[in-house]
Amino acid sequence: MTVALLPSWSDDSRSLTGGTRTDEITLTVDRPRIGATDVDIRLTPRQGERSGPLPEVTLQAVLPTAGHATPETPAHAQGAGAYSTSVHLMMPGRWTFRVSVAHGDAGEEFDFPIAITG
């Protein structure tokens, strides 16, 4: 599991980047507020181009302090390394956006802490 680094803010959206030895991943939350929240995910292999089928990417939002979690939702491929999905957040707080990336039988999880406002 990896924790996100390098936050950046622009126009009310939030982007966080994290990674492992094999992949770098950037998560962008378009509207970090309660309700429907669009999320873009960019997956970049560290060793050049990835061959074979596209990785399967899912997103789940977890609010550990209140015991809430959204269902794990598949992200839809939008092109080479680009994915998108949305989650419904029921309350403000310090959410963790957990991105799971499956490369066939191998998988990785990335945790991105996001503060959600009302």
Side-chain angles (χ1 to χ4, degrees), residues 8-107:
S8 65
W9 288 265
S10 65
D11 293 334
D12 211 25
S13 69
R14 294 200 180 130
S15 292
L16 295 163
T17 299
T20 65
R21 180 177 56 81
T22 58
D23 290 296
E24 179 178 289
I25 188 166
T26 300
L27 175 115
T28 301
V29 180
D30 291 331
R31 185 181 171 274
R33 292 188 172 71
I34 59 173
T37 302
D38 292 330
V39 179
D40 293 320
I41 300 164
R42 165 78 51 192
L43 183 63
T44 307
R46 293 193 188 273
Q47 301 297 321
E49 295 289 321
R50 181 175 279 121
S51 61
L54 292 175
E56 293 180 25
V57 177
T58 60
L59 174 71
Q60 181 181 35
V62 179
L63 182 59
T65 57
H68 295 307
T70 65
E72 195 171 289
T73 306
H76 304 287
Q78 303 296 313
Y83 295 82
S84 66
T85 190
S86 65
V87 293
H88 184 82
L89 304 173
M90 62 279 304
M91 64 187 298
R94 293 180 164 263
W95 288 81
T96 298
F97 282 48
R98 180 163 293 143
V99 177
S100 298
V101 179
H103 308 278
D105 293 337

